[in-house]
Amino acid sequence: MKSAVETLNPTRVRLTVEVPFEELKDSLDAAYKKINQQVTVKGFRKGKIPARVIDQRFGRGAVLEEAVNDALPKFYTEAVNEADLNPLGQPEVDITELKDGELLAFTAEVDVRPEIEIPDYSGIEVEVDAVEVSDEDIEKAVEQLRGRFASTKDVERAAEDGDVVTLDLEAKVDGEVLEDGVASDVSYTIGSGELLEGIDEAVKGLEAGGEATFTSQLKGGSAEGKDAEVTVKVTKVSARELPELDDEFAQMASEFDTLEDLKADSRKRLENQKQFDQATQAQERVLEKLLELVEVPIPEKLLADEVQTRKHNLEHHQLGQMGLTIEKYLEFQGKTVEEFDAETSEQAVKGIKTQFVLDALVNKEKLGVNQEELTEHLMRRAQSSGMSPDQFAQAVVEGGQVPMLVGEVARGKALAVVVESAKVVDTKGEVVDLSDEDDEDGAEAVAEVETAAADSDEAKADEDKADEAK
């Protein structure tokens, strides 16, 4: 076999391959054997039909086609290995010559990983938020905990913000009561924003037995999107009663004996969370700086496939679970299809570029992944997916996703190398020491950038808005 490589652009090549016919012998034998098992010829036992009879009855062309289909993957792989290429996706194969008994020639066009030179990254500098926990932060955390232990007490007065009211609801569209527009004994906390727009204003000031009517756009049901005339009747008003902030509350709500100990623990937890957020911010900003230093050509087909994957995941997984269509989502976001496509393409480019650059860094720094690192990453991914480690591991193996996880860990280690060499200061000008940060955090940060369901701040905000829309 002879092969040659032509570079069409930095991310695509054309392989030209010539195969002497004698090298097709194994594939020709396999083709005759396969056809033998599929056809019957009077006078011959199944599987014992001579090759000359198959040629006569079914045509030599059918045999050649079967043999070539069997041989192409093998010769293509040999040509790829011979040229030391890193192909991306499936090739576009064109048989240019097939002479029976003489020669098979074909071309294969395929996207390949671009050659990337990693520049000196030791001079990267980034600024991150300082770790600051105020007394107000502590009070807010304690108040949230206090709210979880609140009780309710029926009151005979007009409903106010924060009260829990029990409601009967009836919705009409064009004067007709909707079949799914009637509900009784609905519990609602005024100000929570969990029901219809306008309901807070309608029920505030009403006592038990009071009634009001307001207009609101329905967010679901048979008349979704339509304006409805909603009649709401308050059947009960309950005031939320918060426990006293004292040592007794601390003992009830935590493992601590005093309120001061509870507050000290809250401060420590908030500091740890802010330190984690700071480290994550540093990783993201160092990665941004690294990507700015490197020019990376992006294969067109790979980009198109990644954009399609991201759209599919958003529409059929994230939005599907929330009962939203892509049209409703874009309407709520105030985005056009063109704006959404541009944003998705930008995110896909960043994900592909991240993978290419960090993979090149893995090779440059000769970074490996051991079993312990892979197991730890698998455990974390299982936890975030809501599956048990055994279930997640089984799904990974069955789906052939082990190399993907290995890649995530390796790229996380590569990012950790860059972060360690960077200068990170906080908004107060203090140098931030990230030498003790776990490589695994980098793996998760990299995975978030690369994947279609990246849990970035922007994506999280979009999900929160989608929840509100629902």
Side-chain angles (χ1 to χ4, degrees):
M1 185 196 79
K2 294 191 303 181
S3 65
V5 180
E6 176 187 358
T7 300
L8 303 177
N9 61 49
T11 64
R12 193 165 179 84
V13 300
R14 178 188 293 123
L15 286 164
T16 301
V17 183
E18 293 185 356
V19 183
F21 208 79
E22 55 267 23
E23 293 186 31
L24 288 172
K25 183 179 183 308
D26 289 344
S27 294
L28 279 169
D29 291 343
Y32 279 117
K33 184 176 181 180
K34 182 176 180 179
I35 294 173
N36 241 308
Q37 300 299 322
Q38 294 175 338
V39 301
T40 57
V41 176
K42 189 176 181 179
F44 296 95
R45 286 185 297 163
K46 195 174 185 66
K48 299 295 183 180
I49 308 171
R52 59 179 176 76
V53 175
I54 290 177
D55 289 345
Q56 292 170 356
R57 295 292 297 271
F58 304 102
R60 174 72 168 175
V63 179
L64 290 176
E65 181 180 358
E66 183 65 41
V68 169
N69 288 339
D70 176 74
L72 278 177
K74 180 183 72 171
F75 291 118
Y76 165 73
T77 300
E78 288 182 9
V80 165
N81 293 336
E82 190 175 283
D84 195 24
L85 299 176
N86 290 307
L88 300 167
Q90 296 300 313
E92 296 178 6
V93 177
D94 182 25
I95 298 174
T96 56
E97 192 172 359
L98 178 57
K99 292 183 179 179
D100 194 358
E102 296 183 31
L103 180 73
L104 164 66
F106 67 91
T107 61
E109 288 191 18
V110 66
D111 287 333
V112 294
R113 280 179 176 264
E115 294 291 332
I116 297 175
E117 289 293 328
I118 301 296
D120 179 18
Y121 49 80
S122 60
I124 290 178
E125 295 185 15
V126 297
E127 184 182 71
V128 295
D129 295 335
V131 173
E132 295 179 302
V133 178
S134 66
D135 291 341
E136 289 76 13
D137 293 331
I138 305 301
E139 296 301 325
K140 183 178 179 181
V142 173
E143 280 298 317
Q144 288 176 341
L145 180 62
R146 189 184 180 198
R148 285 162 49 188
F149 287 85
S151 59
T152 58
K153 179 182 179 181
D154 294 349
V155 293
E156 295 182 2
R157 59 165 172 76
E160 301 173 354
D161 268 328
D163 284 346
V164 179
V165 288
T166 304
L167 310 173
D168 291 340
L169 297 163
E170 180 184 84
K172 294 181 181 179
V173 173
D174 298 329
E176 297 292 331
V177 178
L178 300 173
E179 289 186 9
D180 55 354
V182 178
S184 300
D185 295 329
V186 177
S187 181
Y188 174 66
T189 301
I190 299 176
S192 66
E194 294 175 353
L195 278 178
L196 298 167
E197 184 177 345
I199 195 168
D200 288 339
E201 293 77 8
V203 299
K204 276 193 294 187
L206 295 180
E207 298 183 15
E211 190 174 297
T213 300
F214 64 100
T215 300
S216 184
Q217 188 181 76
L218 300 178
K219 301 298 184 182
S222 60
E224 179 182 2
K226 293 184 178 181
D227 286 338
E229 183 183 83
V230 182
T231 299
V232 56
K233 181 178 180 180
V234 177
T235 61
K236 185 168 65 174
V237 179
S238 301
R240 295 176 76 242
E241 293 188 339
L242 298 172
E244 291 293 327
L245 281 179
D246 51 23
D247 292 346
E248 186 176 341
F249 167 73
Q251 294 164 17
M252 174 181 65
S254 71
E255 69 271 30
F256 301 103
D257 292 329
T258 68
L259 183 61
E260 287 307 310
D261 287 343
L262 173 60
K263 288 183 176 181
D265 181 70
S266 295
R267 180 179 295 277
K268 182 178 179 181
R269 288 174 184 270
L270 287 173
E271 286 175 348
N272 289 340
Q273 181 60 50
K274 285 181 178 286
Q275 286 171 351
F276 176 82
D277 293 342
Q278 185 189 66
T280 300
Q281 191 179 64
Q283 290 167 345
E284 292 171 351
R285 294 185 178 180
V286 168
L287 177 59
E288 291 280 357
K289 291 285 188 180
L290 176 64
L291 296 182
E292 290 174 5
L293 295 176
V294 190
E295 286 293 329
V296 181
I298 306 295
E300 291 183 8
K301 187 175 186 307
L302 179 64
L303 176 58
D305 290 344
E306 179 65 12
V307 167
Q308 184 58 38
T309 297
R310 288 172 180 261
K311 288 182 177 180
H312 178 85
N313 286 343
L314 174 65
E315 186 170 1
H316 297 282
H317 296 293
Q318 292 169 275
L319 298 183
Q321 291 175 357
M322 294 184 285
L324 288 175
T325 64
I326 187 68
E327 292 78 16
K328 284 289 182 184
Y329 172 76
L330 292 179
E331 179 184 341
F332 186 78
Q333 291 291 312
K335 296 177 183 176
T336 64
V337 173
E338 292 74 21
E339 289 171 337
F340 171 70
D341 287 345
E343 288 180 7
T344 305
S345 179
E346 183 180 345
Q347 293 165 1
V349 167
K350 183 179 179 182
I352 294 170
K353 189 173 181 179
T354 296
Q355 187 177 37
F356 284 174
V357 170
L358 292 182
D359 281 346
L361 192 55
V362 167
N363 293 332
K364 178 180 179 179
E365 301 292 346
K366 296 180 173 56
L367 302 174
V369 177
N370 60 40
Q371 185 62 47
E372 183 180 351
E373 293 167 333
L374 181 60
T375 299
E376 183 180 354
H377 185 57
L378 186 148
M379 297 281 282
R380 291 203 187 188
R381 288 291 301 271
Q383 185 178 17
S384 64
S385 71
M387 301 170 67
S388 71
D390 288 343
Q391 289 174 324
F392 187 79
Q394 183 178 354
V396 165
V397 172
E398 291 178 353
Q401 300 298 305
V402 173
M404 179 194 74
L405 291 187
V406 172
E408 288 176 1
V409 177
R411 289 188 282 274
K413 296 177 73 171
L415 178 58
V417 169
V418 183
V419 171
E420 189 173 343
S421 70
K423 181 179 180 181
V424 182
V425 297
D426 64 22
T427 49
K428 291 183 174 181
E430 299 290 333
V431 175
V432 178
D433 181 11
L434 297 172
S435 58
D436 292 334
E437 290 303 316
D438 194 343
D439 292 351
E440 177 62 24
D441 296 332
E444 292 187 351
V446 170
E448 288 173 357
V449 172
E450 292 176 2
T451 56
D455 191 18
S456 65
D457 290 343
E458 181 179 353
K460 187 65 173 66
D462 285 350
E463 288 183 3
D464 291 342
K465 290 177 181 177
D467 280 333
E468 293 175 12
K470 183 186 176 185

Short mmCIF file of all heavy atoms in Angstrom, two decimals, residues 19-35 51 54-55 58-73 75 95 97-105:
data_model
loop_
_atom_site.label_atom_id
_atom_site.label_comp_id
_atom_site.label_asym_id
_atom_site.label_seq_id
_atom_site.Cartn_x
_atom_site.Cartn_y
_atom_site.Cartn_z
N VAL A 19 -3.69 0.66 -3.37
CA VAL A 19 -3.55 -0.68 -2.80
C VAL A 19 -3.39 -1.70 -3.91
O VAL A 19 -4.30 -1.87 -4.75
CB VAL A 19 -4.79 -1.05 -1.95
CG1 VAL A 19 -4.58 -2.42 -1.30
CG2 VAL A 19 -5.06 0.02 -0.90
N PRO A 20 -2.24 -2.39 -3.99
CA PRO A 20 -2.09 -3.48 -4.97
C PRO A 20 -3.17 -4.54 -4.74
O PRO A 20 -3.53 -4.83 -3.60
CB PRO A 20 -0.69 -4.03 -4.69
CG PRO A 20 0.02 -2.92 -4.00
CD PRO A 20 -1.02 -2.20 -3.20
N PHE A 21 -3.65 -5.13 -5.83
CA PHE A 21 -4.81 -6.01 -5.70
C PHE A 21 -4.53 -7.22 -4.82
O PHE A 21 -5.45 -7.73 -4.16
CB PHE A 21 -5.27 -6.47 -7.10
CG PHE A 21 -6.73 -6.77 -7.15
CD1 PHE A 21 -7.66 -5.75 -7.26
CD2 PHE A 21 -7.20 -8.09 -7.05
CE1 PHE A 21 -9.02 -6.02 -7.28
CE2 PHE A 21 -8.55 -8.37 -7.07
CZ PHE A 21 -9.47 -7.33 -7.18
N GLU A 22 -3.29 -7.68 -4.79
CA GLU A 22 -2.99 -8.86 -3.98
C GLU A 22 -3.24 -8.61 -2.50
O GLU A 22 -3.49 -9.54 -1.73
CB GLU A 22 -1.55 -9.34 -4.21
CG GLU A 22 -0.47 -8.31 -3.97
CD GLU A 22 -0.09 -7.58 -5.26
OE1 GLU A 22 -0.91 -7.56 -6.19
OE2 GLU A 22 1.05 -7.06 -5.31
N GLU A 23 -3.19 -7.33 -2.08
CA GLU A 23 -3.43 -7.01 -0.68
C GLU A 23 -4.92 -7.06 -0.32
O GLU A 23 -5.29 -6.92 0.86
CB GLU A 23 -2.86 -5.63 -0.34
CG GLU A 23 -1.33 -5.59 -0.41
CD GLU A 23 -0.76 -4.26 0.07
OE1 GLU A 23 -1.38 -3.64 0.96
OE2 GLU A 23 0.30 -3.85 -0.43
N LEU A 24 -5.77 -7.26 -1.34
CA LEU A 24 -7.20 -7.40 -1.10
C LEU A 24 -7.63 -8.85 -0.93
O LEU A 24 -8.82 -9.13 -0.77
CB LEU A 24 -8.00 -6.80 -2.27
CG LEU A 24 -8.01 -5.28 -2.39
CD1 LEU A 24 -8.68 -4.87 -3.69
CD2 LEU A 24 -8.74 -4.66 -1.21
N LYS A 25 -6.65 -9.79 -0.97
CA LYS A 25 -7.00 -11.21 -0.95
C LYS A 25 -7.86 -11.59 0.26
O LYS A 25 -8.88 -12.27 0.12
CB LYS A 25 -5.73 -12.06 -0.96
CG LYS A 25 -6.01 -13.57 -1.00
CD LYS A 25 -4.75 -14.39 -1.03
CE LYS A 25 -5.07 -15.88 -1.14
NZ LYS A 25 -6.04 -16.37 -0.13
N ASP A 26 -7.45 -11.14 1.46
CA ASP A 26 -8.22 -11.51 2.66
C ASP A 26 -9.65 -10.98 2.58
O ASP A 26 -10.61 -11.67 2.96
CB ASP A 26 -7.53 -10.97 3.92
CG ASP A 26 -6.23 -11.70 4.23
OD1 ASP A 26 -6.03 -12.80 3.67
OD2 ASP A 26 -5.44 -11.17 5.03
N SER A 27 -9.81 -9.77 2.09
CA SER A 27 -11.15 -9.19 1.98
C SER A 27 -11.97 -9.88 0.90
O SER A 27 -13.19 -10.05 1.04
CB SER A 27 -11.06 -7.69 1.68
OG SER A 27 -10.48 -7.00 2.78
N LEU A 28 -11.31 -10.30 -0.20
CA LEU A 28 -12.03 -11.04 -1.24
C LEU A 28 -12.50 -12.40 -0.71
O LEU A 28 -13.64 -12.81 -0.95
CB LEU A 28 -11.12 -11.24 -2.46
CG LEU A 28 -11.02 -10.05 -3.43
CD1 LEU A 28 -9.89 -10.28 -4.43
CD2 LEU A 28 -12.34 -9.84 -4.17
N ASP A 29 -11.64 -13.07 0.03
CA ASP A 29 -12.03 -14.36 0.62
C ASP A 29 -13.20 -14.17 1.57
O ASP A 29 -14.15 -14.98 1.57
CB ASP A 29 -10.84 -14.97 1.36
CG ASP A 29 -9.72 -15.43 0.43
OD1 ASP A 29 -10.00 -15.57 -0.78
OD2 ASP A 29 -8.59 -15.64 0.91
N ALA A 30 -13.15 -13.11 2.37
CA ALA A 30 -14.24 -12.83 3.31
C ALA A 30 -15.53 -12.51 2.57
O ALA A 30 -16.63 -12.88 3.00
CB ALA A 30 -13.85 -11.68 4.23
N ALA A 31 -15.41 -11.83 1.42
CA ALA A 31 -16.60 -11.47 0.63
C ALA A 31 -17.26 -12.72 0.06
O ALA A 31 -18.49 -12.87 0.12
CB ALA A 31 -16.20 -10.52 -0.49
N TYR A 32 -16.45 -13.63 -0.50
CA TYR A 32 -17.01 -14.88 -1.03
C TYR A 32 -17.68 -15.68 0.08
O TYR A 32 -18.76 -16.26 -0.10
CB TYR A 32 -15.92 -15.71 -1.70
CG TYR A 32 -15.60 -15.27 -3.11
CD1 TYR A 32 -14.33 -14.78 -3.43
CD2 TYR A 32 -16.57 -15.34 -4.10
CE1 TYR A 32 -14.03 -14.37 -4.72
CE2 TYR A 32 -16.27 -14.94 -5.41
CZ TYR A 32 -15.00 -14.45 -5.70
OH TYR A 32 -14.73 -14.05 -6.98
N LYS A 33 -17.05 -15.72 1.24
CA LYS A 33 -17.60 -16.48 2.36
C LYS A 33 -18.93 -15.88 2.82
O LYS A 33 -19.91 -16.60 3.10
CB LYS A 33 -16.60 -16.48 3.52
CG LYS A 33 -17.04 -17.32 4.71
CD LYS A 33 -15.95 -17.36 5.78
CE LYS A 33 -16.38 -18.22 6.96
NZ LYS A 33 -15.32 -18.26 8.01
N LYS A 34 -18.99 -14.56 2.88
CA LYS A 34 -20.23 -13.89 3.32
C LYS A 34 -21.36 -14.13 2.33
O LYS A 34 -22.49 -14.44 2.72
CB LYS A 34 -19.97 -12.39 3.49
CG LYS A 34 -21.17 -11.61 3.98
CD LYS A 34 -20.83 -10.14 4.23
CE LYS A 34 -22.05 -9.37 4.73
NZ LYS A 34 -21.72 -7.95 4.98
N ILE A 35 -21.05 -13.97 1.04
CA ILE A 35 -22.08 -14.19 0.01
C ILE A 35 -22.53 -15.64 0.02
O ILE A 35 -23.72 -15.95 -0.16
CB ILE A 35 -21.54 -13.77 -1.38
CG1 ILE A 35 -21.30 -12.25 -1.41
CG2 ILE A 35 -22.52 -14.17 -2.49
CD1 ILE A 35 -20.61 -11.76 -2.66
N ALA A 51 -16.29 -20.05 -6.03
CA ALA A 51 -16.18 -18.63 -6.35
C ALA A 51 -16.58 -18.34 -7.79
O ALA A 51 -17.25 -17.35 -8.07
CB ALA A 51 -14.75 -18.16 -6.09
N ILE A 54 -20.31 -18.12 -8.08
CA ILE A 54 -20.82 -16.85 -7.52
C ILE A 54 -20.59 -15.73 -8.52
O ILE A 54 -21.47 -14.88 -8.75
CB ILE A 54 -20.13 -16.54 -6.18
CG1 ILE A 54 -20.61 -17.53 -5.10
CG2 ILE A 54 -20.41 -15.10 -5.73
CD1 ILE A 54 -19.93 -17.35 -3.76
N ASP A 55 -19.38 -15.70 -9.14
CA ASP A 55 -19.09 -14.67 -10.15
C ASP A 55 -20.09 -14.74 -11.30
O ASP A 55 -20.58 -13.72 -11.79
CB ASP A 55 -17.67 -14.83 -10.68
CG ASP A 55 -16.61 -14.45 -9.65
OD1 ASP A 55 -16.98 -13.80 -8.65
OD2 ASP A 55 -15.43 -14.79 -9.85
N PHE A 58 -23.98 -14.08 -9.71
CA PHE A 58 -24.26 -12.83 -9.02
C PHE A 58 -23.37 -11.66 -9.46
O PHE A 58 -23.61 -10.52 -9.07
CB PHE A 58 -24.13 -13.01 -7.50
CG PHE A 58 -25.00 -14.13 -6.98
CD1 PHE A 58 -24.45 -15.36 -6.68
CD2 PHE A 58 -26.37 -13.95 -6.83
CE1 PHE A 58 -25.25 -16.41 -6.22
CE2 PHE A 58 -27.16 -14.99 -6.37
CZ PHE A 58 -26.62 -16.21 -6.07
N GLY A 59 -22.36 -11.97 -10.25
CA GLY A 59 -21.51 -10.92 -10.79
C GLY A 59 -20.28 -10.68 -9.95
O GLY A 59 -20.34 -10.61 -8.73
N ARG A 60 -19.17 -10.53 -10.64
CA ARG A 60 -17.91 -10.24 -9.96
C ARG A 60 -17.98 -8.87 -9.27
O ARG A 60 -17.36 -8.65 -8.23
CB ARG A 60 -16.78 -10.25 -11.00
CG ARG A 60 -15.41 -9.83 -10.49
CD ARG A 60 -14.77 -10.84 -9.60
NE ARG A 60 -13.36 -10.52 -9.38
CZ ARG A 60 -12.56 -11.17 -8.57
NH1 ARG A 60 -13.03 -12.20 -7.87
NH2 ARG A 60 -11.30 -10.83 -8.46
N GLY A 61 -18.78 -7.96 -9.82
CA GLY A 61 -18.89 -6.63 -9.24
C GLY A 61 -19.42 -6.65 -7.83
O GLY A 61 -18.98 -5.87 -6.97
N ALA A 62 -20.39 -7.52 -7.56
CA ALA A 62 -20.95 -7.62 -6.21
C ALA A 62 -19.89 -8.08 -5.22
O ALA A 62 -19.84 -7.61 -4.07
CB ALA A 62 -22.13 -8.57 -6.21
N VAL A 63 -19.04 -9.01 -5.65
CA VAL A 63 -17.97 -9.50 -4.79
C VAL A 63 -16.95 -8.40 -4.51
O VAL A 63 -16.51 -8.20 -3.38
CB VAL A 63 -17.27 -10.72 -5.43
CG1 VAL A 63 -16.12 -11.22 -4.53
CG2 VAL A 63 -18.27 -11.83 -5.69
N LEU A 64 -16.57 -7.67 -5.58
CA LEU A 64 -15.60 -6.59 -5.41
C LEU A 64 -16.14 -5.51 -4.47
O LEU A 64 -15.41 -4.98 -3.63
CB LEU A 64 -15.26 -5.98 -6.78
CG LEU A 64 -14.43 -6.85 -7.71
CD1 LEU A 64 -14.24 -6.16 -9.06
CD2 LEU A 64 -13.06 -7.18 -7.10
N GLU A 65 -17.42 -5.17 -4.63
CA GLU A 65 -18.02 -4.15 -3.77
C GLU A 65 -17.96 -4.57 -2.30
O GLU A 65 -17.60 -3.77 -1.43
CB GLU A 65 -19.46 -3.90 -4.18
CG GLU A 65 -20.16 -2.83 -3.34
CD GLU A 65 -21.58 -2.58 -3.76
OE1 GLU A 65 -22.05 -3.21 -4.73
OE2 GLU A 65 -22.26 -1.76 -3.11
N GLU A 66 -18.29 -5.83 -2.03
CA GLU A 66 -18.26 -6.34 -0.67
C GLU A 66 -16.83 -6.33 -0.13
O GLU A 66 -16.58 -5.96 1.03
CB GLU A 66 -18.82 -7.75 -0.63
CG GLU A 66 -18.91 -8.38 0.75
CD GLU A 66 -19.88 -7.64 1.66
OE1 GLU A 66 -20.96 -7.26 1.17
OE2 GLU A 66 -19.55 -7.45 2.84
N ALA A 67 -15.87 -6.73 -0.96
CA ALA A 67 -14.47 -6.78 -0.54
C ALA A 67 -13.92 -5.39 -0.25
O ALA A 67 -13.22 -5.17 0.74
CB ALA A 67 -13.63 -7.47 -1.60
N VAL A 68 -14.25 -4.44 -1.12
CA VAL A 68 -13.77 -3.07 -0.93
C VAL A 68 -14.35 -2.46 0.34
O VAL A 68 -13.64 -1.81 1.12
CB VAL A 68 -14.09 -2.21 -2.17
CG1 VAL A 68 -13.84 -0.73 -1.86
CG2 VAL A 68 -13.26 -2.65 -3.36
N ASN A 69 -15.65 -2.67 0.58
CA ASN A 69 -16.27 -2.15 1.79
C ASN A 69 -15.61 -2.72 3.04
O ASN A 69 -15.50 -2.04 4.07
CB ASN A 69 -17.76 -2.48 1.81
CG ASN A 69 -18.54 -1.65 0.81
OD1 ASN A 69 -18.09 -0.58 0.39
ND2 ASN A 69 -19.71 -2.13 0.42
N ASP A 70 -15.19 -3.97 2.95
CA ASP A 70 -14.52 -4.61 4.08
C ASP A 70 -13.10 -4.09 4.25
O ASP A 70 -12.61 -3.92 5.38
CB ASP A 70 -14.48 -6.13 3.86
CG ASP A 70 -13.70 -6.86 4.95
OD1 ASP A 70 -14.24 -6.98 6.07
OD2 ASP A 70 -12.55 -7.28 4.68
N ALA A 71 -12.42 -3.78 3.15
CA ALA A 71 -11.00 -3.43 3.19
C ALA A 71 -10.75 -1.95 3.49
O ALA A 71 -9.73 -1.60 4.09
CB ALA A 71 -10.33 -3.80 1.87
N LEU A 72 -11.67 -1.08 3.08
CA LEU A 72 -11.42 0.36 3.19
C LEU A 72 -11.07 0.82 4.60
O LEU A 72 -10.09 1.57 4.78
CB LEU A 72 -12.63 1.14 2.67
CG LEU A 72 -12.70 1.33 1.15
CD1 LEU A 72 -13.98 2.05 0.77
CD2 LEU A 72 -11.49 2.10 0.63
N PRO A 73 -11.83 0.41 5.64
CA PRO A 73 -11.47 0.89 6.98
C PRO A 73 -10.05 0.52 7.39
O PRO A 73 -9.34 1.33 8.02
CB PRO A 73 -12.51 0.20 7.88
CG PRO A 73 -13.67 -0.06 6.98
CD PRO A 73 -13.07 -0.38 5.66
N PHE A 75 -7.34 -0.10 5.40
CA PHE A 75 -6.32 0.66 4.68
C PHE A 75 -6.36 2.15 5.05
O PHE A 75 -5.31 2.80 5.08
CB PHE A 75 -6.50 0.47 3.17
CG PHE A 75 -6.18 -0.92 2.70
CD1 PHE A 75 -7.14 -1.72 2.11
CD2 PHE A 75 -4.91 -1.46 2.89
CE1 PHE A 75 -6.86 -3.00 1.69
CE2 PHE A 75 -4.60 -2.75 2.48
CZ PHE A 75 -5.58 -3.53 1.88
N ILE A 95 -13.75 6.41 -4.03
CA ILE A 95 -12.95 5.41 -4.75
C ILE A 95 -12.66 5.96 -6.14
O ILE A 95 -13.57 6.18 -6.95
CB ILE A 95 -13.70 4.07 -4.85
CG1 ILE A 95 -13.94 3.51 -3.43
CG2 ILE A 95 -12.92 3.07 -5.69
CD1 ILE A 95 -14.79 2.27 -3.40
N GLU A 97 -10.29 4.60 -8.34
CA GLU A 97 -9.92 3.58 -9.34
C GLU A 97 -10.07 2.19 -8.74
O GLU A 97 -9.66 1.95 -7.62
CB GLU A 97 -8.47 3.80 -9.80
CG GLU A 97 -8.10 3.00 -11.03
CD GLU A 97 -6.73 3.38 -11.59
OE1 GLU A 97 -6.08 4.29 -11.01
OE2 GLU A 97 -6.30 2.78 -12.59
N LEU A 98 -10.68 1.30 -9.50
CA LEU A 98 -10.80 -0.09 -9.08
C LEU A 98 -10.66 -0.97 -10.31
O LEU A 98 -11.57 -1.10 -11.13
CB LEU A 98 -12.16 -0.35 -8.40
CG LEU A 98 -12.41 -1.80 -7.96
CD1 LEU A 98 -11.32 -2.28 -6.99
CD2 LEU A 98 -13.79 -1.93 -7.30
N LYS A 99 -9.45 -1.54 -10.47
CA LYS A 99 -9.16 -2.43 -11.59
C LYS A 99 -9.02 -3.85 -11.08
O LYS A 99 -8.12 -4.14 -10.28
CB LYS A 99 -7.87 -2.00 -12.30
CG LYS A 99 -7.98 -0.67 -13.03
CD LYS A 99 -6.69 -0.34 -13.78
CE LYS A 99 -6.81 0.97 -14.54
NZ LYS A 99 -5.55 1.31 -15.25
N ASP A 100 -9.95 -4.69 -11.50
CA ASP A 100 -9.96 -6.07 -11.02
C ASP A 100 -8.64 -6.75 -11.35
O ASP A 100 -8.19 -6.79 -12.50
CB ASP A 100 -11.12 -6.83 -11.70
CG ASP A 100 -11.41 -8.16 -11.00
OD1 ASP A 100 -10.69 -8.49 -10.05
OD2 ASP A 100 -12.36 -8.84 -11.42
N GLY A 101 -8.02 -7.26 -10.31
CA GLY A 101 -6.75 -7.96 -10.48
C GLY A 101 -5.55 -7.04 -10.50
O GLY A 101 -4.42 -7.53 -10.56
N GLU A 102 -5.77 -5.71 -10.44
CA GLU A 102 -4.63 -4.80 -10.55
C GLU A 102 -4.51 -3.83 -9.36
O GLU A 102 -3.51 -3.85 -8.64
CB GLU A 102 -4.72 -3.99 -11.85
CG GLU A 102 -4.63 -4.82 -13.11
CD GLU A 102 -4.66 -3.96 -14.36
OE1 GLU A 102 -4.17 -2.80 -14.28
OE2 GLU A 102 -5.19 -4.40 -15.39
N LEU A 103 -5.56 -2.99 -9.14
CA LEU A 103 -5.35 -1.87 -8.23
C LEU A 103 -6.66 -1.37 -7.63
O LEU A 103 -7.70 -1.37 -8.28
CB LEU A 103 -4.68 -0.72 -8.99
CG LEU A 103 -4.37 0.57 -8.22
CD1 LEU A 103 -3.20 0.35 -7.27
CD2 LEU A 103 -4.05 1.71 -9.18
N LEU A 104 -6.58 -0.95 -6.36
CA LEU A 104 -7.64 -0.18 -5.72
C LEU A 104 -7.02 1.15 -5.30
O LEU A 104 -6.00 1.18 -4.62
CB LEU A 104 -8.18 -0.90 -4.48
CG LEU A 104 -9.01 -0.05 -3.51
CD1 LEU A 104 -10.32 0.40 -4.16
CD2 LEU A 104 -9.29 -0.79 -2.21
N ALA A 105 -7.66 2.26 -5.71
CA ALA A 105 -7.18 3.59 -5.32
C ALA A 105 -8.36 4.39 -4.77
O ALA A 105 -9.46 4.33 -5.32
CB ALA A 105 -6.54 4.31 -6.50
#
